[in-house]
Amino acid sequence: MVPRYASLPFSEAIQFFREKTDLPTRAWTDIWQEQHDHAFVVAGAMKRELLTDLRGAVDSAISGGTTLQKRL
């Protein structure tokens, strides 16, 4: 059985997020269904540097127990 993201204990959810692959995309429909489980995507983030910065902000927020609003 594959665990669902929201059903994992917090530390496991952070690790699950960190194991995702950065994937530049034009739209959320560029990948399909379970592919979203394995890729970190932000619609329209086509440059690796931008995706890396966004991922860092999300990782910092979830590992610190805060929100993106408090990080930006």
Side-chain angles (χ1 to χ4, degrees):
M1 178 177 171
V2 176
R4 297 179 60 93
Y5 187 76
S7 68
L8 296 175
F10 194 67
S11 61
E12 289 176 339
I14 292 169
Q15 188 61 37
F16 182 79
F17 172 77
R18 288 179 177 166
E19 290 174 1
K20 289 185 173 212
T21 301
D22 290 349
L23 184 64
T25 56
R26 293 186 194 281
W28 69 272
T29 55
D30 286 354
I31 63 175
W32 188 244
Q33 297 178 354
E34 293 85 15
Q35 292 174 329
H36 284 277
D37 294 342
H38 305 285
F40 176 76
V41 299
V42 176
M46 294 296 297
K47 295 188 177 186
R48 290 258 179 216
E49 296 82 11
L50 175 59
L51 199 55
T52 298
D53 288 346
L54 292 168
R55 183 187 181 117
V58 171
D59 186 277
S60 181
I62 63 173
S63 64
T66 63
T67 66
L68 286 176
Q69 185 176 23
K70 292 182 180 180
R71 296 282 173 188
L72 300 175

